[in-house]
Amino acid sequence: MTQHDYDYVIVGSGFGGSVSACRLSEKGYKVAVLEQGRRWTQDNLPRSNWRIRDYLWRPFLGLRGFLSLRLFRHVMILHGNAVGGGSITYAQTLLVPPQKVWHNGNWAGLDDWDAQMPGHYATAQRMLGVTENRRPGPADARLKQMADATGVGDSFYYTRVGVFFGKDGDAPGTEYPDPYFDGEGPTRKSCLGCGGCMVGCRHGAKNTLDQNYLYLAEKRGTTVQAETRVVDVRPLNDKADGSDGYEILTEPTFARFFRKRSRVTARNVVFAASSLGTQELLFKLKTGGSLPNISDDLGRRVRTNAESILGVRYPGTGDDMSKGVAIGSGIYIDEHTHIEAVRYPEGSNLLAGLFTILTGGRPGFTRVFVWLWTMFGLLLRHPLRGFKAILPYRASSESVIFLVMQTLDGHLDMRWTRPWYWPFAKTLSTHGKRIPTFIPEANAFTEKAAKATGGIGLSTITEILFNVPMTAHCMGGCAMGATPEQGVIDAQNRVFNYRNLYVVDGSMLAANLGVNPSLTITALAERAMSFIPDKAAA
């Protein structure tokens, strides 16, 4: 019988990877988590996103942060790289999607989702400490004002978030013993409402994965190896289906030239490197011959929640829009369209450079001329306010950012190709029909809301110049299906055509959720792990 270094090796430590590590270690398995990002603590997180080296992720350029911005032909995707995955930089908004999502896409009919998922959502909510936002700020009050002015005030709500707020009456920032896991977890401090969630919480209030699932996994013996990039996974002993397990080759993430490879073996491998990361790795393994029988469905039906990012800016306002939690409230402007109020902390204005004046018109090159005309008109009528509205200075304190999401289905495909500008290596590229870059309902709401509240509407520059939307919610590409022709994994997250191989991350999703996907990924990971027996019974 083949001896392995580990029972399970998990590639990635985001929501799927951390849940898997926690539950597998509970079941008695020897587990290792390989994470290409850094381990962040309250002491080494950046104080603002202007500390680019510690905020943005581009190792080749010496940027070792936790947020990656990847521009494709059809979309710009934001995603995280860190021990704890995207939880380090996400806005910890944890919402249950509408039931109809389980009856759309290729996972429809694979299970009695309506009966199965509520229990897994309940477990995920308990583990992530989900509660209603108790630190509303000026941006939330402004969103309520906008909703009332546009006739959708009844849909306003405070978000369900993974934040520790402490006890009523105690001062923000009060330290408490572990409030979630009967003393097994770390001590916590209550939220200050500083707005710094997406630059990394330096106060111990945000329920990142290294404070719950991953923390408990390590306490139970899981090995977490940071700054380690997986470069190959191949079956052992010429067993092409992986029935004897796998060898996994790794390199140091930040090594540029002398990349010494290391090798471990495992009976089972779980890919949990995020939708983009898992797709990229599986394409390499499929085309490189290590795992050639991965379904040809790989990379198909990648979804983005049909998102648009807009906003309203109030140059010179005395209200500090940066205060609160990253996403503190939301509204529904129609049955398909959901808007959340987003903020960055005071001084973290780096991404303000992605915003420009709200622009209508049709998507395409003509929209550039509409944008120039709109800009000219604003500067002519209100030169000082117009100029301030496009400057990064004080942007986080003066802006309410809108994250717009729709449940309407739409997708693109990822392929593994050689780009024209770098023919020496293959990379992910997007193909297919364009997903929406302009949501008329959302633009109309933003225009009315800005006028009603005395602000200036904002669009993102990528939409205007490149006809490319921006999203932090890349989903699918290794979706569930009934057969290899309809998906990459089956209803229990097992990779078709292989044994002991799983995908448990955002790439498994098979429909637009219309809400932030982290809670659903967590709940589906809980479901996936429920099918694996205890080691003693295996």
Side-chain angles (χ1 to χ4, degrees), residues 473-496:
H473 300 149
C474 182
M475 303 174 291
C478 301
M480 290 184 187
T483 67
E485 291 70 40
Q486 297 175 322
V488 175
I489 59 176
D490 68 10
Q492 296 186 21
N493 291 72
R494 300 172 297 195
V495 175
F496 285 120

Side-chain angles (χ1 to χ4, degrees), residues 111-277:
D111 198 354
D112 184 356
W113 300 106
D114 293 344
Q116 293 297 320
M117 291 309 298
H120 296 304
Y121 275 115
T123 300
Q125 288 169 325
R126 176 179 58 81
M127 292 293 296
L128 296 174
V130 180
T131 187
E132 186 176 283
N133 174 26
R134 287 164 48 196
R135 294 284 186 274
D140 305 307
R142 202 62 65 99
L143 182 64
K144 180 64 166 71
Q145 182 184 0
M146 296 172 183
D148 289 338
T150 54
V152 294
D154 289 345
S155 72
F156 177 87
Y157 66 92
Y158 289 118
T159 47
R160 302 278 295 171
V161 293
V163 176
F164 179 61
F165 292 110
K167 298 177 181 178
D168 291 336
D170 285 354
T174 299
E175 187 171 75
Y176 299 80
D178 166 45
Y180 295 113
F181 307 112
D182 298 323
E184 284 195 68
T187 59
R188 309 302 302 276
K189 290 183 179 179
S190 58
C191 176
L192 299 174
C194 68
C197 317
M198 292 194 292
V199 186
C201 179
R202 295 184 292 107
H203 307 292
K206 182 179 176 183
N207 293 340
T208 50
L209 292 166
D210 56 333
Q211 307 262 23
N212 41 68
Y213 280 107
L214 202 58
Y215 183 94
L216 296 176
E218 289 191 272
K219 196 169 183 178
R220 291 166 184 149
T222 291
T223 298
V224 178
Q225 193 167 324
E227 300 180 27
T228 301
R229 188 167 65 94
V230 173
V231 295
D232 199 9
V233 178
R234 61 174 60 240
L236 287 169
N237 303 329
D238 297 321
K239 296 293 182 66
D241 65 350
S243 55
D244 264 5
Y246 299 86
E247 67 170 354
I248 301 97
L249 301 182
T250 66
E251 294 176 349
T253 300
F254 301 117
R256 292 191 179 183
F257 302 108
F258 302 103
R259 298 179 176 176
K260 182 180 179 181
R261 290 196 169 184
S262 299
R263 175 183 183 271
V264 296
T265 62
R267 179 71 175 172
N268 305 270
V269 176
V270 178
F271 293 101
S274 81
S275 177
L276 273 187

Side-chain angles (χ1 to χ4, degrees), residues 89 133 246 287 319 391 431:
T89 187
N133 174 26
Y246 299 86
T287 59
D319 294 328
L391 286 180
H431 295 262

